[in-house]
Amino acid sequence: MLDLRRLRLLRELSIRGTLAAVAEALSYSPSAVSQQLALLEAEAGVKLLQKSGRRVLLTPQGQVLVRHATVLLERMELAEADLTGSLQAVAGTVRIAVFQSAALAIVPQALTLLAAEHPALRVEVVQREPEAALSAVWARDFDLVVAEQYPGHAAPIVGDLDRIALCTDALRLGTPPGVGIRSLSGASAHAWVMEPRGTASRHWAEQACRQAGFEPDVRFETADLMAHIRLIESGNAVAILPDLVWAGRTPSVETVELDGAPHRTVFTSARAASASRPAIRAVRRVLSRSVEFVAPEGEPAATN
């Protein structure tokens, strides 16, 4: 009989590409991963891996097993969700990936509520960019992700992940106090700070500037929105900022309404097989409640 733990290693290899990456993700040594996959080959009675330079590739038979391993792991996750759902207490561990402004604005209040209402629940939070975090949830590195979608941009659809809206978040131009900018086009001559290339926020901000008739002079690039704020406060840059970055506090820079009052959507995603876990449902309910403390414009969605 094929060992499910070894099947999981094979699936991880198909996702991560190298034995070293699998070992790092699962806290094994590369030699242990290699040994377990060799035992899986012996169990299967067929060759599952083949070397290609320094990489190890799956044979067609290995790919067949990966497809079955995915189904089996989903069924195991459903079984675990049903089992924990039969218990009264919300317990266990929920691993959350979250982007920076949500980590600053929503997560602290949520953790306080969870500690008071579900003391047996352990919550682990790691900051990740939404694009990478969605893939990481699918790969089982996390149980839940708080991600974002910008107007006119579809967030990546990865694996069998569900998607529940958490709130909407206004996007505004942030300018140094006293400079008198009243519109996006009025910021065309100023230096800009933006998030790194390849992020949805960067692409959206650049497109917004171009639609306003200018190419932004991006002199500063950082994913740290606190650094954006400092550069604006000091008079060195302007930027488009989401309201969540203020975490319910009064902005320390001047904010300018953009044409069309654009908003991004903040949502949570979990694997469909684990979404019914009481712990994940509890975290989602509390996240939705926490939005009310910091995002008055948000529209928390009903959680299941």
Side-chain angles (χ1 to χ4, degrees):
M1 183 177 293
L2 300 177
D3 186 285
L4 185 59
R5 291 171 298 178
R6 292 171 189 148
L7 285 172
R8 184 191 177 191
L9 291 177
L10 188 68
R11 180 180 181 272
E12 292 288 336
L13 181 60
S14 73
I15 294 170
R16 304 182 192 278
T18 66
L19 295 174
V22 173
E24 181 178 1
L26 301 182
S27 299
Y28 290 175
S29 68
S31 61
V33 173
S34 180
Q35 181 183 36
Q36 290 300 308
L37 290 175
L39 289 171
L40 181 61
E41 279 191 328
E43 290 173 347
V46 294
K47 193 169 183 61
L48 303 175
L49 306 172
Q50 58 187 14
K51 288 189 176 181
S52 176
R54 295 184 177 181
R55 296 177 65 86
V56 177
L57 303 179
L58 271 65
T59 64
Q61 292 72 35
Q63 293 168 1
V64 167
L65 275 188
V66 164
R67 290 195 293 271
H68 285 285
T70 299
V71 173
L72 290 169
L73 288 167
E74 287 175 354
R75 294 301 305 175
M76 287 296 295
E77 206 159 22
L78 283 169
E80 290 170 357
D82 284 347
L83 183 62
T84 56
S86 67
L87 303 174
Q88 295 298 317
V90 174
T93 299
V94 175
R95 300 160 298 168
I96 307 175
V98 60
F99 60 94
Q100 187 189 33
S101 52
L104 292 170
I106 302 173
V107 170
Q109 178 67 31
L111 292 175
T112 299
L113 292 173
L114 286 167
E117 297 174 12
H118 305 292
L121 179 64
R122 174 185 173 90
V123 179
E124 299 175 356
V125 181
V126 177
Q127 184 179 319
R128 287 284 189 278
E129 289 303 309
E131 294 85 352
L134 286 163
S135 296
V137 171
W138 177 74
R140 291 178 167 77
D141 291 341
F142 299 99
D143 301 303
L144 188 69
V145 60
V146 181
E148 62 184 352
Q149 180 166 306
Y150 275 75
H153 291 255
I157 298 175
V158 182
D160 292 325
L161 303 186
D162 68 3
R163 187 170 297 195
I164 296 179
L166 187 59
C167 67
T168 56
D169 187 27
L171 301 164
R172 309 178 200 271
L173 176 65
T175 72
V179 299
I181 297 174
R182 295 291 178 265
S183 66
L184 187 58
S185 60
S188 60
H190 289 260
W192 281 74
V193 56
M194 289 189 180
E195 294 192 51
R197 291 186 182 276
T199 59
S201 57
R202 171 65 173 268
H203 186 257
W204 186 86
E206 288 179 331
Q207 290 299 311
C209 292
R210 290 164 187 163
Q211 289 170 4
F214 68 97
E215 187 69 24
D217 178 11
V218 183
R219 299 188 196 177
F220 313 105
E221 182 178 289
T222 174
D224 186 351
L225 295 184
M226 295 298 99
H228 288 217
I229 292 172
R230 298 295 180 267
L231 287 167
I232 299 169
E233 288 173 338
S234 62
N236 288 294
V238 298
I240 293 176
L241 297 172
D243 275 2
L244 274 182
V245 77
W246 304 113
R249 296 186 292 270
T250 301
S252 60
V253 303
E254 291 188 4
T255 59
V256 179
E257 196 80 33
L258 299 175
D259 289 346
H263 289 65
R264 65 177 177 174
T265 299
V266 180
F267 63 92
T268 62
S269 279
R271 293 181 299 280
S274 65
S276 62
R277 277 179 55 197
I280 291 179
R281 294 175 63 180
V283 170
R284 279 177 149 168
R285 285 194 296 268
V286 168
L287 285 171
S288 186
R289 287 162 53 198
S290 299
V291 166
E292 300 171 9
F293 290 90
V294 295
E297 292 194 57
E299 300 175 2
T303 56
N304 53 8

